[in-house]
Amino acid sequence: MPTLLPASFFSSNRERLRERLPNDLIVITANGLLQASGDGELPFAQDRNFFYLTGLDEPDFLLILDNANKKELLVRPTQSRYQQVFNHQVSDEQLEATTGISRIVTEKEAISFLRKRLQRIDTISSFSPSPAYSRIYGIYSNPSRRRLLTRLKRIKPSIKIKDIRRDLAALRRIKQPEEIIEIEAAVKVTLDAIAAVKKKLGRYQNEAEIVRDLDARFAAQADGHGFLPVVAGASRSCALHYRLNNAKLDKRTSILLDIGAQSNYYSSDITRVLYRGGATKRQQAVFDAVSRIQKATIDQVKPGVTIRDLELFVSDQLKQELIKLKLAQNRSSTRRLRRQYMPHGVSHYLGLNTHDIGSYEEPLEPGVVITVEPGIYILDEGIGVRIEDDILVTEEGNRVLG
């Protein structure tokens, strides 16, 4: 979906990056398409840093910022005859209107430009290739960055890459007014969807029916899901990233929804627990405990506090609530209780990525958007509760977006 953000927003982002790196030659690639099966492709998702600087939702383009000479080049990828016939072709006029970049060049022209510039410099600023495979998450990365590095090495084998991920993280961490509007739009769609699910809660036969309703709403009112949704009934709510979303729902059961619409790649991230037929006394006690932890933690969110501070605070709050639930004692290890009953972080940054970039040790500032999402998971009782909202840090403290 084409971005509705103005070209001036992306031009300003490039200017802010240029101010941080005034003498650098920056080369950044868009993501490439990934194969689903045969000649079929997976839905395209843009590299978020590339989007932040261009607003372009097209594969394989390159952005060149020659900061020392104040030049901006957008490089159109070379396409096969098949791509030219079957794929949508974006005009130079459309590219300029989206990105604010007037100089659109071919790959051949870009290579010629880089050859001349690299005669005088030994370093290009870009992003190091992502690991080909993550042993922790089991996710393969898009190969576009590694492909770019290979192409640069062909131009100059001795070229060195200066990784500027921290520079982009610093820029993206504090949200601009346009970004907050996008996040708020995504939050509203998500909350409306949860309210609609709640109205129909007794009619759903299985988790998949809920997912289909969410798919339809997010497609009609936003740009789809910001991440794979979690719709977990009963004890499945104890699986933090439950993905099957297809089990039968009992007439009396809990349903955990961890979902988020996205608007122009800006994501929301909301978690709610709903109860068909009402919560049992024990379920309600756990829900109330998590609700108290979340409220107390949100009250801590303000400029100067770090996410690490919030983690320490929530661990203490969790222990006190577990004692009330008769799951712990005063002498119990806080660290062990955290690992057993809440084995995830209480907060993360939110923006172009659902888990957005930024240091957890750096004090929060006005304009930062984070989540607050405490939970309690009692595996042997089959009870999993998580409550999550999106929080904007303000001069006065914070504002709950949803």
Side-chain angles (χ1 to χ4, degrees), residues 143-398:
S144 55
R145 292 181 185 176
R146 191 168 298 280
R147 181 170 175 260
L148 172 61
L149 179 60
T150 300
R151 295 164 76 186
L152 293 173
K153 291 280 189 183
R154 287 180 188 147
I155 298 172
K156 186 171 185 175
S158 62
I159 192 70
K160 297 175 183 176
I161 301 297
K162 174 184 173 182
D163 195 333
I164 58 170
R165 281 179 295 182
R166 289 183 181 272
D167 296 283
L168 263 298
L171 294 180
R172 284 176 49 186
R173 183 170 174 268
I174 299 176
K175 302 300 184 285
Q176 300 166 71
E178 298 95 328
E179 298 176 284
I180 294 170
I181 289 171
E182 296 293 344
I183 295 171
E184 286 180 317
V187 167
K188 183 180 186 307
V189 172
T190 305
L191 291 175
D192 288 348
I194 292 171
V197 168
K198 193 172 182 178
K199 286 181 180 179
K200 291 179 58 178
L201 199 61
R203 285 181 268 166
Y204 292 112
Q205 299 299 308
N206 54 60
E207 296 162 349
E209 292 179 4
I210 297 177
V211 174
R212 284 195 289 272
D213 275 359
L214 294 172
D215 290 345
R217 279 186 165 270
F218 287 2
Q221 301 175 16
D223 300 332
H225 294 272
F227 54 92
L228 290 175
V230 175
V231 179
S235 62
R236 296 177 293 280
S237 59
C238 293
L240 302 182
H241 283 178
Y242 173 71
R243 298 298 191 211
L244 295 178
N245 297 336
N246 61 4
K248 182 180 177 181
L249 295 172
D250 295 332
K251 289 183 179 180
R252 186 183 178 95
T253 188
S254 65
I255 303 171
L256 184 147
L257 303 177
D258 187 347
I259 60 176
Q262 69 174 7
S263 176
N264 288 312
Y265 280 125
Y266 287 89
S267 183
S268 58
D269 191 2
I270 307 289
T271 304
R272 296 289 187 267
V273 179
L274 309 178
Y275 295 96
R276 282 172 43 136
T280 66
K281 185 176 180 180
R282 181 63 165 173
Q283 287 173 333
Q284 189 65 53
V286 175
F287 182 92
D288 291 343
V290 175
S291 183
R292 286 191 293 268
I293 295 172
Q294 196 209 29
K295 184 180 184 305
T297 306
I298 290 174
D299 288 344
Q300 298 296 308
V301 177
K302 58 188 175 183
V305 172
T306 70
I307 290 181
R308 293 293 182 213
D309 293 334
L310 298 180
E311 294 292 350
L312 292 173
F313 178 83
V314 83
S315 292
D316 290 335
Q317 293 292 306
L318 176 69
K319 180 175 180 178
Q320 296 309 310
E321 293 295 344
L322 291 174
I323 291 172
K324 294 176 188 176
L325 292 169
K326 302 189 183 308
L327 294 169
Q329 299 175 336
N330 281 318
R331 65 174 181 272
S332 300
S333 164
T334 302
R335 180 176 294 184
R336 182 189 65 77
L337 292 173
R338 180 68 185 270
R339 284 200 305 266
Q340 181 175 355
Y341 292 104
M342 185 186 157
H344 61 77
V346 73
S347 180
H348 58 77
Y349 292 105
L350 186 69
L352 282 172
N353 293 99
T354 307
H355 289 185
D356 214 18
I357 51 182
S359 169
Y360 283 23
E361 311 290 348
E362 195 170 350
L364 299 177
E365 301 174 65
V368 168
V369 180
I370 63 172
T371 65
V372 173
E373 51 176 309
I376 292 177
Y377 311 89
I378 312 172
L379 271 63
D380 57 356
E381 297 182 37
I383 297 176
V385 174
R386 181 165 66 256
I387 305 173
E388 178 179 19
D389 284 292
D390 304 335
I391 314 297
L392 170 66
V393 181
T394 65
E395 295 281 356
E396 298 76 23
N398 69 72

Side-chain angles (χ1 to χ4, degrees), residues 112-129:
S112 176
F113 172 83
L114 289 173
R115 284 190 192 282
K116 291 177 183 177
R117 287 291 285 118
L118 292 179
Q119 289 175 3
R120 300 189 295 277
I121 60 175
D122 297 316
T123 301
I124 280 181
S125 295
S126 189
F127 303 118
S128 297

